[in-house]
Amino acid sequence: MSETLTAAEIAAKSLFPTYARYSLALVKGEGSWLWDDKGNKYLDFMSGIAVTNLGHAPKRVKEALVKQLDELWHVSNLFQIPNQAEAAKLITDNSCADAVFFCNSGAEANEAAIKLARRYNQMVLNNGRYEIITFEQSFHGRTLATLTATGQAKVKEGFAPLPEGFRTVPLNDLPALEAAVSGKTAAIMLEMVQAEGGVYPVDPAFMKGLVALCEREGILLIADEIQTGMGRTGKLFAYEHYGIEPDIFTMAKGLGSGFPVGAMAAKEKLREGFTAGSHGSTFGGTPIATAAVKATLETIVEDHLPERAERMGKYLMAQLRGKLAGNAFVNEVRGLGLLVGIACKEPIADIVNGAQSRGLLVISAGPNVIRLLPNLLVTEEEIDTAVTILAELLEAKRPNA
Ligand SMILES: *Cc1c(COP(=O)(O)O)cnc(C)c1O
């Protein structure tokens, strides 16, 4: 009698328990706001984990999708796909990359980056290098290769044997990185801001040393921009903050404004790392997916949303620092643009739940960090509302409060 069960009860019976789901069922979204099936309204400061960077149901992307749905949904990559070529050109025109490969998720984009790094070293440079160095607390995805690249033990548990050719070192520790490099090192892969790992922007001096090391040793630099890209941190891609140009970078999350799509982009020399038949994806870059990419990127670029994210991120962090000053439960407010963390002394799961019951959706990044990811069009008024709720919840946690 499924009609007598709630959505949460059906989910518990019919789905794998891969997520610790809230009982909340969100059924409608517009801009910064979401509504549940009971008509309650929520201010969304998680954006589907940095996916709905343009807010919910952005008009220009919706119109592009509806138009494409009327015309053509899918053709094989054995044919020309004009939307895909134009979406790729938008990426290359607005980044350091020259060639793009489309796929369907972040993990697949990183998988493509790892494969390209290996294949370029083995088939173009003929040096046999294959090892990828990544960093502790990093997150790169859930496929076997990308969970191996991820610097968190919890995502690897029970999945042995893991693929060979990955090494993890502490972040911001140049001597440790230098010691890990060998004649086998093909690439170093990192997030410019470790997002899932606790909202840690990479130290600029470390990044400078890392880039010099890559140049000296002929090692490829892969930037995982899956969470930091698409304007989130105040630049279209977060590597721009560091004045560097990665050889390869990856996108997903905000790339389609909620339509699932990922991409891997690389510099000219890497183009010949892939040849016809060496990599592929049935759904990679369909006419629909790349209609969403085009409309998303055009909006971000034409409306100067990275600059807006930078400005609103500064406002958000200033408001938080002001309101939380003197609260000994809070260690630090840190972040880049609209990827912001409130690092606390103790676990914050009850704050996330408390915010939800007060109509504000936020997410954690590790046990002690509250992560805020509002959309890039968030207003000062919406930020004020969120900061007030969080400050009140954190005030109750203040020692001797
Ligand atoms: C989310 C994320 C991924 C994985 O993306 P999926 O689309 O879930 O496969 C990889 N790297 C980073 C930095 C991410 O934030």
Side-chain angles (χ1 to χ4, degrees):
M1 291 296 191
S2 63
E3 60 265 48
T4 64
L5 298 177
T6 65
E9 285 163 344
I10 298 170
K13 273 181 172 291
S14 311
L15 291 170
F16 272 105
T18 46
Y19 308 99
R21 289 179 199 272
Y22 301 112
S23 56
L24 211 60
L26 299 162
V27 295
K28 185 181 152 58
E30 197 184 309
S32 301
W33 298 87
L34 284 162
W35 285 264
D36 69 14
D37 53 358
K38 299 177 182 74
N40 300 309
K41 193 177 169 185
Y42 299 85
L43 179 56
D44 184 6
F45 266 49
M46 59 185 283
S47 302
I49 318 189
V51 169
T52 53
N53 281 6
L54 305 183
H56 293 281
K59 193 160 170 279
R60 187 165 175 176
V61 183
K62 183 186 147 182
E63 283 172 2
L65 281 171
V66 168
K67 180 171 174 285
Q68 192 58 51
L69 279 170
D70 269 340
E71 288 169 8
L72 177 66
W73 294 15
H74 178 87
V75 289
S76 158
N77 274 305
L78 294 171
F79 297 94
Q80 294 295 325
I81 301 176
N83 278 354
Q84 188 183 122
E86 287 160 25
K89 185 171 187 310
L90 274 167
I91 292 170
T92 57
D93 282 352
N94 289 285
S95 75
C96 64
D98 300 293
V100 180
F101 173 83
F102 284 101
C103 52
N104 313 286
S105 69
E108 274 177 86
N110 283 340
E111 192 82 28
I114 293 163
K115 285 181 70 175
L116 179 62
R118 284 189 177 181
R119 201 169 191 282
Y120 173 72
N121 274 282
Q122 294 174 32
M123 306 290 284
V124 178
L125 302 180
N126 292 304
N127 62 16
R129 292 184 185 190
Y130 60 87
E131 198 165 74
I132 315 281
I133 299 179
T134 63
F135 295 91
E136 289 173 8
Q137 294 311 119
S138 63
F139 183 80
H140 298 298
R142 303 286 194 163
T143 61
L144 278 173
T146 58
L147 75 81
T148 307
T150 294
Q152 302 183 32
K154 65 182 184 203
V155 309
K156 308 185 194 210
E157 203 179 77
F159 296 123
L162 300 179
E164 280 176 43
F166 293 89
R167 245 184 117 142
T168 306
V169 299
L171 187 66
N172 296 331
D173 183 341
L174 199 56
L177 178 61
E178 282 170 342
V181 164
S182 73
K184 294 181 294 186
T185 311
I188 297 172
M189 176 157 92
L190 81 170
E191 303 156 82
M192 303 294 114
V193 182
Q194 286 195 335
E196 302 298 315
V199 190
Y200 290 102
V202 174
D203 173 42
F206 172 76
M207 191 67 89
K208 218 174 146 204
L210 184 156
V211 169
L213 175 65
C214 285
E215 278 169 12
R216 201 165 64 234
E217 303 290 334
I219 297 167
L220 297 171
L221 171 56
I222 306 173
D224 179 342
E225 294 269 6
I226 289 162
Q227 190 151 164
T228 51
M230 312 314 290
R232 169 62 50 192
T233 69
K235 302 278 185 197
L236 185 57
F237 298 107
Y239 68 74
E240 297 167 43
H241 288 287
Y242 293 88
I244 63 161
E245 294 194 349
D247 299 293
I248 304 174
F249 67 93
T250 53
M251 296 149 270
K253 295 205 161 86
L255 185 59
S257 295
F259 194 93
V261 56
M264 183 276 295
K267 285 182 163 282
E268 187 57 45
K269 68 176 178 189
L270 285 140
R271 193 188 299 268
E272 55 179 333
F274 280 157
T275 51
S278 58
H279 190 52
S281 162
T282 299
F283 291 127
T286 67
I288 304 178
T290 44
V293 174
K294 264 171 59 187
T296 299
L297 264 166
E298 282 165 0
T299 306
I300 293 174
V301 172
E302 288 171 23
D303 295 352
H304 305 286
L305 296 187
E307 290 87 334
R308 191 169 198 286
E310 171 149 57
R311 202 168 65 242
M312 298 314 267
K314 281 194 174 130
Y315 180 76
L316 171 58
M317 281 195 265
Q319 293 303 304
L320 285 170
R321 285 179 182 139
K323 288 259 169 53
L324 300 175
N327 185 334
F329 182 74
V330 177
N331 279 340
E332 184 185 25
V333 174
R334 61 173 175 253
L336 205 52
L338 285 171
L339 171 47
V340 173
I342 308 171
C344 298
K345 290 231 151 56
E346 285 167 39
I348 46 78
D350 56 333
I351 306 260
V352 172
N353 290 325
Q356 197 180 101
S357 45
R358 297 196 44 182
L360 172 68
L361 304 183
V362 298
I363 183 174
S364 61
N368 294 3
V369 180
I370 304 166
R371 183 172 25 156
L372 306 180
L373 295 159
N375 69 72
L376 311 188
L377 292 155
V378 69
T379 64
E380 287 191 0
E381 208 184 336
E382 288 163 349
I383 288 176
D384 292 343
T385 303
V387 170
T388 301
I389 292 170
L390 290 168
E392 283 173 18
L393 291 165
L394 287 161
E395 177 62 21
K397 301 284 279 186
R398 185 163 63 89
N400 310 318

